[in-house]
């Protein structure tokens, strides 16, 4: 800060206290100067020259509005502690520091503070050295005492500088001390050891002091390289964070304070402002967080208004970066800093200005679209999804309805390309200039979930006054259920047509044969004809029954008549029916020794078992057995039907209980079916307060199980009696699992 008036009151009070303390220490040392010898005066003059030279080459480390200067002056003070009187060192520090600051033209309050804290620190060092007995040169105690004394100086110096920064920036003292602690300690250790080495060389061979020039110069450039590396690393991190701070949903009001704070820190500026137009005002965003507005000058020209505003700041050192081109000025970045920006800093500022321009352009496109159509409230509350796409096919906005339809939040969609979000199936004419979205079409949303959603959309082009392309507004609505219903209807018509034609064809053929008398008229042959026709008629009956059952289920009419009955007898009856119908197939049943009484509808339970056994016979090899087992656990009985077929892929298992769903493989095409059996079984079991589930492993087989509520379960029976053919192994874990 160029003026002490810009500092907080507490900071000014602290600076005044430090400066006054330094003045008192200098006056006390001046009294001691009356006892100097000529050699003392000569030493003081030499030290003043050395300190002045050292003060002309500091290494600045910027911290927001304040600068921490690192130098090698400490090495001179460490050597002087061992070689000269305390008063000589004190006055030399005062004289050298004052001359160095005057030559560098530092502000008076900064010079007073620096000189004051130097004198307080060196006084602390002299007190520690004296307390150690002021050991003379040539002893180990002298070096230890000098090291302890310079440690006291380091504590005073680091704490006082950190205190000023803390009072100015409003941060905690510990946080500011902790940030540069390690480099400061290394800096102190290097300077102290260099000073002690200089004292040793001076005591033994003064001509050898020239050998210390090279280490001092190398140390100085090492410090500079380290500081440059730290500054470059911080600038890259701040540039990245500044870019991230500008990335926000385009509908949100812009908050520039985090961005401007990073720019201020990156460039070491006293403050930074961003000035942009908002309606008929200039909005002035400051790095401190304040936002002010000033009316646009007559004529409403952005450039003229900015020049008028900046004209009021001519007495303040500032540097300006225009956002936009000469004919399209969108705003300016104003950096308040006395030092001119380097070429590298100018490049950083150019990159930041470009990022702001892109953000302002996106905001302008979006809000112009909304204002012209007057759809702000409609877009937020409509049930139709609406999103805006830029000319380069990136999503600029994503309304709440699109979030509900697709399951993607706005922050997951905004900024991404339409190719990443949608799989387009356009119905309208598509042109390369206008991107993958046609005027109308259907698209599948490529969301994060396994379930895919379909939308049907229409697209409108927004053009600027010159006819150029500005953006696209896309209106979409969810058609997932509609498309699924259409597909289900198509599947139903195709399946039922095929299933009706399959039994009708042999019936028609045999009836025609009997009518014309062209077949073998033996009693055995006619008996075979009648048997085949009866089987096909039964197949038609089952199909019609399934369709009527589905119709009854969908209508919501009562389907079950619950009462208490013994479960094993109903299951055994169904096993017996299938055994008689398929004498060449092996069907096994395992039941508990004790009766299993359940509360359900025996007719519906038989229907469920029949559907599951029919499904198992259909999808397992002829030589493989179908196994049934009745188990119970807790208050539910479980019926399991196990086959040894090909199994069901894991990706299809969640759909096997859907209407008309059938696996797409060769076995399905050979066996036929409507895909209604498992759907009916599931709805019937649920209507009886039960549950049905599947365990299947491809290549091993499938086990369908369903549970029913038991009336009583007084004992647990581990044994079993075989109703038809023994099982060779125990029931599987899936069969034992309770509902």
């Amino acid at each position: 800060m160029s003026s002490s008036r810009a500092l907080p009151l507490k900071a000014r009070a602290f600076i005044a206290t430090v400066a006054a303390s330094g003045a008192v220490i200098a006056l006390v040392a001046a009294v001691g100067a009356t006892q100097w010898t000529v050699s003392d005066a000569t030493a003081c003059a030499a030290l003043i020259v050395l300190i002045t030279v050292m003060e002309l080459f500091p290494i600045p480390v910027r911290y927001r509005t304040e600068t921490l200067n690192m130098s090698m002056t400490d090495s001179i003070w460490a050597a002087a502690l061992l070689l000269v009187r305390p008063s000589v060192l004190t006055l030399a520090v005062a004289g050298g520091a004052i001359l160095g600051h005057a030559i560098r033209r530092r502000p008076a309050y900064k010079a007073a503070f620096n000189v004051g804290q130097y004198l307080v620190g060196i006084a602390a060092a002299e007190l520690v050295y004296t307390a150690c007995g002021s050991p003379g040169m040539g002893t180990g105690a002298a070096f230890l005492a000098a090291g302890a004394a310079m440690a006291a100086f380091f504590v005073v110096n680091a704490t006082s500088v950190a205190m000023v920064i803390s009072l100015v920036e409003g941060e905690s003292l510990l946080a500011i001390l902790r940030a540069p602690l390690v480099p400061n300690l290394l800096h102190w250790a290097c300077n102290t050891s260099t000073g002690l080495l200089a004292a040793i060389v001076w005591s033994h061979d003064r001509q050898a002091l020239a050998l210390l020039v090279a280490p001092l110069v190398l140390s100085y450039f090492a410090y500079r390289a380290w500081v440059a590396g730290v500054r470059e690393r911080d600038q890259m991190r701040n540039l990245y964070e500044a870019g991230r701070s500008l990335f926000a949903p385009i509908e949100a009001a812009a908050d520039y304070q985090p961005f401007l704070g990073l720019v201020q820190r990156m460039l070491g500026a006293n403050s930074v402002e961003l000035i942009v137009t908002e309606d008929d005002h200039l909005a002035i965003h400051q790095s401190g967080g304040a936002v002010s507005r000033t009316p646009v000058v007559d004529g409403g020209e952005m450039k003229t208004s900015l020049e008028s505003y900046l004209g009021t700041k001519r007495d303040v050192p500032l540097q300006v970066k225009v956002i936009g081109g000469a004919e399209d000025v969108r705003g300016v970045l104003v950096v308040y800093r006395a030092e001119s920006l380097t070429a590298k800093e100018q490049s950083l500022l150019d990159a930041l200005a470009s990022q702001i321009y892109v953000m302002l352009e996106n905001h302008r496109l979006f809000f112009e679209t909304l204002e012209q159509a007057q759809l702000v409230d409609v877009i937020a509350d409509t049930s139709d999804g609406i999103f805006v796409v830029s000319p380069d096919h990136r999503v600029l906005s994503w309304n709440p309805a699109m979030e509900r339809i697709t399951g993607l939040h706005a922050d997951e969609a905004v900024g991404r390309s339409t190719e990443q979000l949608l799989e387009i199936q356009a119905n309208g004419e598509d042109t390369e200039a206008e991107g993958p979205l046609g005027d109308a079409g259907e698209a599948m949303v490529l969301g994060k979930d396994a379930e895919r959603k379909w939308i049907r959309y229409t697209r409108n082009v927004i053009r600027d006054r010159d006819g150029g392309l500005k953006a696209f507004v896309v209106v979409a609505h969810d058609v997932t259920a509609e498309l699924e219903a259409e597909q289900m209807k198509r599947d139903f018509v195709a399946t039922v047509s095929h299933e009706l034609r399959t039994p009708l064809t042999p019936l028609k053929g045999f009836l025609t044969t009997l009518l014309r008398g062209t077949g073998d008229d033996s009693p055995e042959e006619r008996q075979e004809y009648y048997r085949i026709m009866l089987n096909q008629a039964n197949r038609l009956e089952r199909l019609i029954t399934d369709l009527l059952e589905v119709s009854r289920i969908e209508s919501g009419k009562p389907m079950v008549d619950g009462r208490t009955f013994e479960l094993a007898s109903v299951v055994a009856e169904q096993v017996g029916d299938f055994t008689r119908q398929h004498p060449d197939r092996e069907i096994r049943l395992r039941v508990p020794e004790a009766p299993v009484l359940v509360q359900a509808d025996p007719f519906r339970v038989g229907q469920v078992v029949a559907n599951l056994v029919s499904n198992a016979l259909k999808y397992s090899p002829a030589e493989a057995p179908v196994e049934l087992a009745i188990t119970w656990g807790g208050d539910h009985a479980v019926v399991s039907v196990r086959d040894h077929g090909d199994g069901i892929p894991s990706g299809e298992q969640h759909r096997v209980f859907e209407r008309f769903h059938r696996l797409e493989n060769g076995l399905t095409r050979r066996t036929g079916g409507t895909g209604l059996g498992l759907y009916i079984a599931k709805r019937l079991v649920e209507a009886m307060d039960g549950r049905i589930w599947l365990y299947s492993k491809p290549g091993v087989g499938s086990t369908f199980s369903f549970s029913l509520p038991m009336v009583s379960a007084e004992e647990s029976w581990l044994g079993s009696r075989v109703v038809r053919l023994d099982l060779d192994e125990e029931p599987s874990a899936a069969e034992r699992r309770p509902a």
Side-chain angles (χ1 to χ4, degrees):
M1 297 183 180
S2 58
S3 172
S4 62
R5 289 192 297 272
L7 296 173
L9 180 60
K10 290 183 179 180
R12 283 184 280 169
F14 180 73
I15 290 173
T17 301
V18 172
S21 300
V24 171
I25 292 170
L27 287 175
V28 172
V31 173
T34 58
Q35 302 177 2
W36 284 4
T37 64
V38 175
S39 60
D40 290 333
T42 303
C44 182
L47 286 173
I48 289 174
V49 173
L50 288 173
I51 292 171
T52 301
V53 172
M54 288 292 187
E55 285 295 303
L56 295 179
F57 300 98
I59 303 170
V61 179
R62 190 73 177 180
Y63 191 92
R64 296 192 180 178
T65 60
E66 298 302 317
T67 302
L68 172 66
N69 288 307
M70 300 177 62
S71 70
M72 300 190 64
T73 314
D74 304 9
S75 59
I76 298 175
W77 299 342
L81 270 174
L82 298 170
L83 299 174
V84 301
R85 294 173 184 262
S87 59
V88 171
L89 176 57
T90 300
L91 292 180
V93 168
I98 291 172
L99 283 175
H101 282 71
I103 294 172
R104 291 170 55 205
R105 297 185 178 181
R106 305 297 294 166
Y109 76 96
K110 289 192 175 183
F113 170 76
N114 285 334
V115 174
Q117 60 101 357
Y118 286 166
L119 291 173
V120 172
I122 208 65
E126 290 168 346
L127 287 174
V128 171
Y129 188 69
T130 302
C132 293
S134 301
M137 280 292 301
T139 64
F143 302 135
L144 292 176
M150 292 307 297
F153 173 83
F154 167 76
V155 171
V156 171
N157 175 258
T159 304
S160 59
V161 173
M163 178 63 75
V164 169
I165 296 177
S166 172
L167 294 173
V168 173
E169 299 296 338
E171 296 189 19
S172 68
L173 176 64
L174 289 178
I176 296 174
L177 277 172
R178 188 166 50 245
L181 182 60
V182 173
N184 276 346
L185 285 172
L186 294 175
H187 177 244
W188 162 79
C190 181
N191 283 354
T192 301
S193 59
T194 301
L196 296 180
L197 179 61
I200 294 172
V201 173
W202 176 268
S203 300
H204 290 79
D205 188 358
R206 298 180 181 181
Q207 294 181 355
L209 282 176
L211 298 176
L212 291 179
V213 174
L216 287 172
V217 172
L218 290 175
S219 297
Y220 173 78
F221 284 107
Y223 288 155
R224 286 182 62 92
W226 172 78
V227 171
V230 171
R231 186 182 297 118
E232 184 173 354
R233 183 192 64 201
D234 289 344
Q235 283 180 341
M236 295 303 297
R237 184 179 65 250
N238 291 335
L239 179 62
Y240 171 74
E241 292 178 358
R244 282 178 56 88
S245 68
L246 292 177
F247 185 77
I250 198 166
E251 299 95 337
D255 179 14
Y256 298 105
Q257 195 276 329
F259 168 78
L260 295 176
L262 289 167
V263 175
Q264 177 184 351
R265 188 183 311 169
M266 197 184 320
L267 299 179
N270 295 329
S271 64
V272 178
E273 289 181 349
L274 172 63
I275 307 170
V276 295
T277 54
E278 291 183 1
D279 299 327
D280 57 348
H281 285 73
L282 287 180
I284 303 161
H285 302 266
Q286 298 177 346
S287 53
V291 180
S292 59
R293 287 172 174 80
T294 182
V296 174
V297 298
D298 294 339
E301 287 287 340
M302 173 70 172
K303 188 175 181 180
T304 306
S305 301
L306 289 172
E307 290 174 351
S308 175
Y309 171 78
L310 295 175
T312 64
K313 306 283 186 177
R314 296 200 180 278
D315 58 336
V316 181
L318 57 84
Q319 297 168 74
V320 177
K321 178 62 183 178
V322 176
I323 299 172
E327 302 300 328
D328 185 25
V329 178
R330 298 296 179 85
V332 292
L333 263 176
V334 184
V335 178
Y336 292 92
R337 194 179 87 167
E339 301 88 354
S340 299
L341 297 175
T342 65
K344 189 172 184 179
E345 290 171 334
Q346 287 283 4
S347 298
L348 287 173
L349 200 58
D350 289 340
L352 295 170
S354 298
Q355 291 181 352
I356 296 176
Y357 177 81
V358 171
M359 189 194 72
L360 292 175
E361 178 68 10
N362 287 341
H363 273 267
R364 184 184 67 82
L365 280 172
F366 177 72
F367 287 109
E368 278 187 5
T369 301
L370 296 184
E371 289 169 2
Q372 290 173 4
Q374 298 182 350
L375 293 177
V376 177
D377 294 333
V378 176
I379 287 175
D381 300 329
T382 183
S383 59
D384 284 339
I386 299 176
F387 59 99
V388 180
V389 181
S390 67
D392 61 352
H393 317 146
R394 294 197 173 274
V395 175
L396 300 178
S397 72
W398 196 259
N399 79 331
M402 284 301 297
E403 294 183 352
R404 292 192 299 270
I405 292 172
T406 65
L408 293 172
H409 293 290
D411 55 358
E412 297 173 309
V414 172
R416 297 174 64 185
S417 67
T418 53
E419 291 89 339
Q420 293 175 313
L421 294 173
L422 306 172
E423 184 176 295
I424 309 296
Q425 292 188 357
N427 297 331
E429 183 178 354
D430 192 5
T431 62
E432 184 177 350
E434 295 182 344
L437 284 171
D439 293 333
E442 294 175 353
M444 184 175 69
V445 181
L446 304 177
K448 54 188 176 183
D449 300 327
E451 182 181 2
R452 293 294 188 254
K453 294 295 187 70
W454 284 89
I455 61 172
R456 185 170 293 142
Y457 68 87
T458 57
R459 185 200 66 178
N460 293 307
V461 179
I462 302 176
R463 302 189 181 276
D464 56 26
R465 295 177 181 177
D466 300 328
L469 178 63
K470 290 174 62 177
F472 303 105
V473 174
V474 183
V475 180
H477 60 277
D478 189 358
V479 294
T480 305
E482 180 181 338
L483 293 180
E484 288 179 350
E486 291 177 358
Q487 183 62 41
M488 190 176 296
K489 290 178 183 177
R490 290 193 293 268
D491 293 343
F492 173 74
V493 171
T495 302
V496 171
S497 299
H498 177 269
E499 291 299 312
L500 286 173
R501 188 180 297 111
T502 300
L504 285 174
T505 299
L507 278 173
K508 184 178 178 181
F510 283 117
L511 288 172
T512 302
T513 300
L514 291 173
L515 181 63
R516 294 177 179 176
T518 57
D520 190 348
D521 199 27
S522 65
E524 294 81 5
E525 192 66 27
R526 284 200 306 273
Q527 188 72 17
E528 180 65 18
Y529 290 168
Y530 299 150
R531 187 187 64 78
I532 294 174
M533 287 190 291
L534 179 60
N535 287 338
Q536 297 303 324
N538 289 335
R539 183 172 180 175
L540 274 175
E541 183 183 20
R542 286 196 301 272
L543 174 60
I544 294 171
T545 300
D546 285 347
L547 293 175
L548 291 175
E549 202 66 65
V550 170
S551 176
R552 190 179 297 111
I553 289 172
E554 296 298 328
S555 68
K557 295 179 181 179
M559 298 178 296
V560 298
D561 180 17
R563 59 188 178 88
T564 302
F565 66 93
E566 206 282 315
L567 179 61
S569 60
V570 174
V571 176
E573 182 180 353
Q574 293 297 324
V575 171
D577 290 343
F578 275 97
T579 301
R580 287 187 291 272
Q581 295 172 19
H582 304 276
D584 56 337
R585 298 298 297 270
E586 182 180 6
I587 304 175
R588 301 173 180 175
L589 173 62
R590 182 197 301 271
V591 299
E593 292 183 356
V596 179
L597 300 179
V598 295
Q599 180 70 26
D601 186 332
F603 174 74
R604 296 302 188 186
V605 172
Q607 190 175 355
V608 172
V609 173
N611 282 341
L612 296 181
V613 174
S614 174
N615 187 74
L617 291 171
K618 186 185 300 183
Y619 290 106
S620 59
E623 67 276 6
V626 172
E627 301 167 313
L628 287 84
I630 299 176
T631 59
W632 60 274
D635 57 355
H636 281 75
V638 178
V639 179
S640 299
V641 180
R642 178 181 179 185
D643 66 58
H644 295 274
D646 293 336
I648 301 173
S650 57
E652 294 284 339
Q653 291 182 16
H654 69 287
R655 299 192 60 198
V656 295
F657 295 106
E658 295 179 2
R659 288 177 299 175
F660 310 117
H661 178 73
R662 306 183 70 234
L663 296 179
E664 294 298 330
N665 56 34
L667 184 58
T668 300
R669 290 190 290 270
R670 292 196 305 270
T671 57
T674 60
L676 293 175
L678 293 178
Y679 169 74
I680 294 172
K682 180 176 185 294
R683 296 299 298 269
L684 291 176
V685 169
E686 291 174 347
M688 293 183 287
D689 297 327
R691 186 170 66 90
I692 189 168
W693 66 90
L694 162 69
Y695 174 80
S696 182
K697 187 174 182 181
V700 176
S702 304
T703 300
F704 285 87
S705 305
F706 68 93
S707 63
L708 295 171
M710 294 180 64
V711 174
S712 64
E714 298 177 354
E715 296 182 88
S716 175
W717 295 86
L718 299 178
S720 65
R721 61 183 174 86
V722 177
V723 175
R724 180 173 178 80
L725 297 181
D726 290 336
L727 290 175
D728 295 330
E729 66 273 351
E730 292 297 319
S732 68
E735 293 168 341
R736 289 197 182 98
R737 182 175 57 184

